[in-house]
Structure formats: structure tokens, C-alpha cells
Amino acid sequence: MDQSKRPIGSILFSLAGDENTASTRIRFFSMLPWLKKMNIKWSTELSIKQLLNSDLFFVQKRLNGNILKIAGLAKLLGIPIVYDVDDFGQALDYFASQNHLQIMFELADLITVGSDAQKAIVEREYRKNNTQVFPPLIDYYPQAPLRSPDIEDEPLRILWFGLASNFAPLAQLIEKVSMRPLVELVVITEAEAIPNLRQQFPNIHFHTWSLETFIPTLRTCHLSVLSHDGGKYVQAKTNNKMITSINWGVPALVSDTPDYRMTVNKLGIRDCVFTNLEEFLRLIDLYRSRQARETYLENAQSIIWQLYSPELITQFFLDFCSEIKIDCFYKRFYCFIKQLIFHLLIKIL
């Protein structure tokens, strides 16, 4: 078979979590329908048997001794290894120790990240140049962009969603906004954090995150507010929440941080970025207008679908994985020829 025709037929995935883990949903579960459509086989069973039946080993963030053993065997067998990482600092420490991370960075044929800022971190702090931006896709299994939800214009419902640990930097801003007339603040976060948050912020409507209820709750809101608050690792995060909110019909107001700024420029919706409370309040007043929200979505949704639909991102994934497999094939062939020539020279001499 011509190596360039169909180099990827089967993929072994090592996952960071299950379908309730956002990064795993984006990097695996959302791609499954399209992998099936393209007749790509896959497995999540980390065994030597499955590795031998795979053309690629894709490791998503989490590392341990067993995963590294499978990766080491893949390296010996010439099976390409992709290590995908979309967090750094404490968020990454939860999934991988620095020692395991260094070993995997040496084993991986390609390191994939979610944003240009994350690529810069790998290149600068880990001295690795085999890095590829693997952008997120639109989350929660969309079939197409949805129009804005048909809800009353007042009160203006503004949503923040994410882990409760990321809510703290926004708390002061959110509390100020909650005091404005005809505004309702909505937060979707993990269940165990809600009782304490309700005591601190009685004016905010808290909802427990679940895979089934997230989109229906999102679509009860007029706007979302999303911010990468923190140090360089937090500011390097991807635009996945922004593109998801917009695709499902809810314009996003976002912080002036790298991936959001890049996305805003691509979409031509620069008047949705804030750097402080005053700018955020101005944007709230601007997007109280139903027409302003409709114009935002008209400008942004089609471009987002063209750039981040699950089908397109899955094809992008398969394309760069195919290139790695071809490279590995030729590298193995080159090494084999070198060894053959070396042994022949020894015999001759």
C-alpha cells in the first residue's frame, strides 16, 4: 500500500478523563462520529495487543508509569506517538508529574497544544520544537450553528461557566454587575462548590453543570462572559468556551487575552473585548440591544463553523497524524539502510 494514500487506519487513545471532562470530550468523543465515517478504527484499551494493531498512539494529557511503558514500546516499534497537552502549571500537575512529562516529551514524535500561546510555552520552557497547534472544536456535539434563543429581552441574563476555582478572579466583577438594574447573573459550575458560592453571592443564579443540561441552560441567557484571569499559563488557554457559546447562539464578551484576541480578530467582532469593569459595563449596555446581539452572531457564527466544526477539526487531526506516520516510516527505513550499510562495511573491512 502507498504510505501516502491511507497511512492512518487505527488509533490507540489514552484519555485524561471521560465524557464529562471537557478536554477529553473535545479531543476524543466529539471526533468519534467522524472517525467512524472515515473508517478509522480506535481503541482506549492500553494493552500491547491494541498497540500492535494501531498506526498511532495518542496520549491526552494524563501520564503514569503504565502509559509511559506503552509509549516506550511504541517508540521501539516505530509507532508514532502524539502527546496532547492543553494545560500547564498546577492544572497540568494534576495529570502528570514533571518527571513523567519530561520523559513523554522525549518520546513523543509530536506534541500538540490548543493555542499559539501554549506552543510558545512548550518551545520556551521545555525546549521542544516538534509542536503543533491542534485547535479545539465546538463543544457539545453541534450539528450546525443555532440562532439566538427566543427569550424576553429583560432581564438581561449573563452567563459565566467553568470550574469554581476559576470563578474567584471574576467574583468582584460579577458582583458589581449583579447590582445593575434588569440584569441577572447565571453561573454554571460543579455541584459541590455551589452551596458555598450561594452563601457568598446570593444575587447570582447557580446551576449544576451536567452534559445534558448545559446547552439548555446556556440558551436561557442573552450573553456569556468569559475571562482568562491569572498568570501566563491561564492566559494561554484556548478559545473553546467562546466558540461554543457563539455557535449555540449566545454572544460571548471576552477578556483581552491571547486566544480570545486572536479569535475576535478572525471573526471581525472586536467590540466584545474588555480589560476592566468599566469596559465590561459598556459592553453590557451595548449588547442589551437584540439587534446588536443578532449582528454579532451573523458576523461570527459562519466563520466559527468554517474554522472549528467537529468534522473539520477531525480531518485536520487525521491530516497531521498522517504526516507523522509517513515521517516515521521513512525515518525507520533510513535507519534500517544505515544499519545495513554499517554491517556490510564491518564485514568488508
Side-chain angles (χ1 to χ4, degrees):
M1 179 186 292
D2 184 346
Q3 287 288 322
S4 64
K5 294 290 184 181
R6 189 187 164 198
I8 297 293
S10 180
I11 303 171
L12 178 59
F13 288 92
S14 175
L15 304 177
D18 60 18
E19 197 174 5
N20 294 307
T21 305
S23 61
T24 304
R25 199 167 54 248
I26 289 169
R27 291 307 206 213
F28 176 68
F29 289 98
S30 292
M31 296 200 299
L32 290 186
W34 308 106
L35 294 177
K36 182 178 179 180
K37 183 179 178 181
M38 298 173 206
N39 295 316
I40 307 296
K41 297 178 181 179
W42 57 269
S43 176
T44 59
E45 180 189 327
L46 294 185
S47 67
I48 295 174
K49 178 182 177 181
Q50 287 297 336
L51 180 65
L52 293 173
N53 289 326
S54 300
D55 295 318
L56 181 86
F57 185 35
F58 182 88
V59 181
Q60 192 234 336
K61 197 157 47 177
R62 186 180 299 280
L63 295 175
N64 57 39
N66 184 52
I67 293 169
L68 291 175
K69 285 178 183 177
I70 297 291
L73 180 58
K75 196 72 174 181
L76 288 173
L77 295 172
I79 297 171
I81 303 165
V82 177
Y83 181 57
D84 181 64
V85 56
D86 66 348
D87 277 314
F88 294 91
Q90 290 183 340
L92 179 57
D93 291 342
Y94 176 80
F95 292 96
S97 70
Q98 284 298 309
N99 182 47
H100 284 168
L101 193 65
Q102 292 287 355
I103 294 170
M104 177 54 78
F105 277 170
E106 292 304 315
L107 289 171
D109 296 287
L110 185 68
I111 300 162
T112 54
V113 294
S115 69
D116 287 326
Q118 290 178 345
K119 184 174 185 289
I121 289 171
V122 173
E123 292 173 345
R124 181 178 63 250
E125 298 187 12
Y126 294 95
R127 308 290 184 185
K128 303 302 292 184
N129 295 317
N130 55 331
T131 311
Q132 164 84 50
V133 176
F134 177 15
L137 49 73
I138 301 163
D139 201 0
Y140 297 96
Y141 312 111
Q143 298 301 309
L146 284 191
R147 296 175 62 88
S148 58
D150 185 16
I151 54 179
E152 295 293 328
D153 289 335
E154 293 181 347
L156 186 73
R157 285 170 58 85
I158 304 174
L159 171 69
W160 180 89
F161 57 96
L163 293 174
S165 57
N166 296 324
F167 180 72
L170 271 177
Q172 185 178 8
L173 180 147
I174 293 290
E175 191 172 29
K176 294 278 187 182
V177 174
S178 69
M179 297 175 185
R180 291 177 71 80
L182 298 175
V183 170
E184 282 186 2
L185 268 294
V186 181
V187 167
I188 300 177
T189 191
E190 65 266 32
E192 55 269 26
I194 289 178
N196 185 46
L197 288 172
R198 278 186 177 142
Q199 286 187 344
Q200 295 180 63
F201 307 102
N203 296 328
I204 296 177
H205 300 267
F206 289 94
H207 295 265
T208 298
W209 180 90
S210 77
L211 192 57
E212 296 75 24
T213 62
F214 176 78
I215 294 301
T217 306
L218 169 68
R219 287 181 56 78
T220 68
C221 299
H222 302 91
L223 299 168
S224 64
V225 53
L226 304 169
S227 183
H228 292 151
D229 289 285
K232 60 183 177 180
Y233 297 142
V234 175
Q235 295 206 9
K237 284 181 175 291
T238 74
N239 62 1
N240 69 293
K241 291 181 180 179
M242 179 185 185
I243 61 176
T244 296
S245 180
I246 295 171
N247 187 80
W248 288 100
V250 180
L253 309 181
V254 298
S255 59
D256 187 13
T257 42
D259 223 41
Y260 286 154
R261 190 183 310 119
M262 174 274 295
T263 307
V264 162
N265 289 335
K266 284 184 178 179
L267 302 179
I269 50 169
R270 292 178 178 82
D271 207 357
C272 69
V273 179
F274 62 90
T275 59
N276 54 47
L277 175 61
E278 289 71 26
E279 291 179 0
F280 183 50
L281 296 178
R282 180 187 65 80
L283 292 177
I284 288 175
D285 292 336
L286 172 63
Y287 287 106
R288 279 185 184 273
S289 161
R290 180 187 288 254
Q291 183 56 53
R293 298 194 300 271
E294 294 290 348
T295 300
Y296 179 120
L297 294 176
E298 287 171 7
N299 291 335
Q301 280 189 326
S302 62
I303 301 174
I304 281 177
W305 191 256
Q306 292 169 15
L307 294 174
Y308 301 106
S309 72
E311 182 177 16
L312 183 139
I313 295 299
T314 303
Q315 186 59 61
F316 177 72
F317 166 72
L318 291 173
D319 287 345
F320 70 69
C321 287
S322 297
E323 292 177 7
I324 303 167
K325 188 172 188 300
I326 292 168
D327 287 345
C328 285
F329 172 80
Y330 288 119
K331 284 177 182 176
R332 291 199 306 273
F333 182 73
Y334 175 67
C335 289
F336 171 75
I337 293 299
K338 280 206 312 183
Q339 290 176 358
L340 181 62
I341 292 171
F342 176 73
H343 289 297
L344 288 173
L345 286 173
I346 290 177
K347 288 183 178 181
I348 292 170
L349 298 175

